[in-house]
Amino acid sequence: MNVSRTRLALLVGLAGALLLVLVIVSPMLLMSMPSFISDGRTSFDCTDDAQVEEVSDTATSDIPDDYLKLYKEYGKRIGVQWNILAAVGKRETDHGRSTLPGVRSGTNSAGAAGPMQFLISTWGGKARVPVETPFTGYASDGDGDGIGDVYNPADAILGAARMLKRNGAPENVRQALFVYNRAWWYVDQVEEIARKYAKSGDVKVPPQAEEECDEPLIEAAPTTVVAKILAYALAQRGKPYLWGGTGPDAFDCSGVIYAAYRSAGLQIPRTTFGQWPFGVRVLEGQEQPGDLVFFNAGPGTSANNPGHVGLVVSKGKMLEARCTLCGPIKVTSYSARGNRIGFTRPLQNPAVLDQLQKLQNPAL
């Protein structure tokens, strides 16, 4: 009886101690856990100093409230510096206040239109584009009406954020700005404006994003189809390489790409040797997410017969399943590889265009 009482007292004491530890430690655990977004999907909070930079008095007084809200919202959502976005808007049209041709209608002498001054050809071929249309360029739907309107500030600012992201921002923001308007004096001017808009007086460049931060890459995808391809491919990170593997537990280099395209309802060749001639060739510097990058690597391969392939996920970066000894599937840099052969775009193969058409119009 005394032994039982002793054991009971010991158990009660241990339970109390454990409860005390949880009360003390749990707030710290909660602070270190990933955040969760409201639609029920789990996602790491990828917000960093580049996106939460405080607004200076200059920015508050110079940027219209509705524009400032859009710059901050889409800067955070896509993963680029909001003050760089705002500086582009200032440099291009004074946040839409310019009365010059092309800001509210038509185009200017260079063919640019809207508050962020997109070339109509770059936007999607016309000023108002249904965003589900394949290959719409940077046409974006910021206000949820299904149309990418180059004159609509919400659409144009989202499109600009995607363009900057796709071309190197936030890490290589100068490169991204140079692609936006190919002049280094323009890059310098935009950066100077951005410094004035930030309370710190700086353009913060974050460290390389953590691998968990997929949402900005997917948001920056050129089309919803490419977003599906990227979402599937990025979800395979950490799985092992297996020669001939097409999942779901392991893949080889072409197998993970084949499976990613299949997840979007598209059929492409299974092997690297088949994928290389299948896609339309893309000039270096014009590649975009969803494209394939090929390498002269592996036995029996050559400059005309590449043996390794990766999936472009952002400028300079690819997802690849490299080899058994190279570790699991991961995102790596393709720009540093010396044996790179070239890029292709499977989505422009006529057979894939037919598949896309049938996906959009099942009755055909």
Side-chain angles (χ1 to χ4, degrees):
M1 187 71 175
N2 290 337
V3 174
S4 298
R5 288 177 180 174
T6 301
R7 287 178 177 173
L8 180 60
L10 180 60
L11 288 172
V12 172
L14 287 173
L18 178 59
L19 180 61
L20 180 61
V21 169
L22 288 173
V23 169
I24 295 173
V25 174
S26 58
M28 297 183 66
L29 289 174
L30 288 172
M31 286 189 291
S32 65
M33 289 174 66
S35 63
F36 296 88
I37 52 183
S38 58
D39 62 2
R41 295 172 297 164
T42 59
S43 173
F44 284 80
D45 186 355
C46 299
T47 305
D48 52 45
D49 287 342
Q51 281 79 58
V52 298
E53 175 70 79
E54 292 186 39
V55 180
S56 70
D57 292 340
T58 299
T60 302
S61 62
D62 186 48
I63 305 173
D65 291 344
D66 54 343
Y67 273 71
L68 180 58
K69 180 181 178 182
L70 292 170
Y71 294 137
K72 297 188 76 175
E73 177 182 350
Y74 293 130
K76 180 176 181 179
R77 173 173 159 184
I78 300 301
V80 301
Q81 296 93 332
W82 77 266
N83 53 325
I84 286 290
L85 260 182
V88 170
K90 174 67 174 180
R91 177 62 184 76
E92 295 292 349
T93 66
D94 192 21
H95 310 300
R97 290 178 292 218
S98 173
T99 58
L100 292 173
V103 177
R104 295 178 178 82
S105 64
T107 63
N108 65 12
S109 59
M116 303 304 280
Q117 291 291 278
F118 274 94
L119 295 174
I120 292 296
S121 58
T122 302
W123 182 254
K126 54 185 179 180
R128 301 183 79 249
V129 183
V131 294
E132 294 300 322
T133 302
F135 317 116
T136 55
Y138 292 104
S140 302
D141 179 16
D143 60 0
D145 65 356
I147 300 294
D149 185 345
V150 75
Y151 303 108
N152 182 308
D155 295 355
I157 292 170
L158 176 56
R162 293 173 62 216
M163 183 174 182
L164 291 169
K165 178 70 175 182
R166 211 178 298 168
N167 289 293
E171 293 87 1
N172 195 344
V173 69
R174 287 183 62 81
Q175 171 188 288
L177 287 170
F178 183 80
V179 174
Y180 201 96
N181 190 338
R182 294 182 178 274
W184 288 113
W185 56 261
Y186 175 88
V187 175
D188 293 338
Q189 287 183 8
V190 170
E191 283 200 319
E192 181 59 30
I193 296 169
R195 291 189 185 95
K196 293 177 181 178
Y197 282 167
K199 199 165 187 177
S200 68
D202 195 10
V203 177
K204 291 194 175 182
V205 177
Q208 183 62 41
E210 293 295 325
E211 287 189 349
E212 290 84 359
C213 300
D214 296 343
E215 202 70 24
L217 293 177
I218 296 169
E219 288 281 4
T223 66
T224 54
V225 170
V226 174
K228 291 178 182 178
I229 293 168
L230 294 187
Y232 180 93
L234 290 166
Q236 310 315 307
R237 274 182 318 209
K239 294 184 178 180
Y241 174 92
L242 175 66
W243 187 82
T246 56
D249 300 319
F251 301 84
D252 66 9
C253 63
S254 56
V256 69
I257 294 170
Y258 170 79
Y261 271 75
R262 189 174 57 186
S263 74
L266 302 174
Q267 191 74 23
I268 65 171
R270 158 66 187 89
T271 67
T272 304
F273 302 116
Q275 290 172 2
W276 169 242
F278 182 78
V280 173
R281 300 292 172 86
V282 177
L283 294 176
E284 184 164 352
Q286 296 181 10
E287 71 275 11
Q288 63 184 29
D291 291 346
L292 308 187
V293 53
F294 292 85
F295 302 86
N296 182 6
T301 66
S302 66
N304 295 317
N305 194 36
H308 183 57
V309 62
L311 175 70
V312 176
V313 297
S314 65
K315 187 67 70 174
K317 297 193 177 298
M318 64 178 174
L319 179 127
E320 67 169 340
R322 191 170 183 183
C323 69
T324 303
L325 298 178
C326 300
I329 297 170
K330 53 183 172 289
V331 173
T332 62
S333 170
Y334 62 74
S335 57
R337 300 276 183 90
N339 58 348
R340 189 170 68 250
I341 289 175
F343 302 87
T344 70
R345 186 165 297 158
L347 289 171
Q348 287 187 342
N349 178 283
V352 175
L353 289 173
D354 287 342
Q355 294 173 46
L356 287 168
Q357 187 69 22
K358 290 176 181 178
L359 286 174
Q360 293 175 349
N361 300 284
L364 293 177

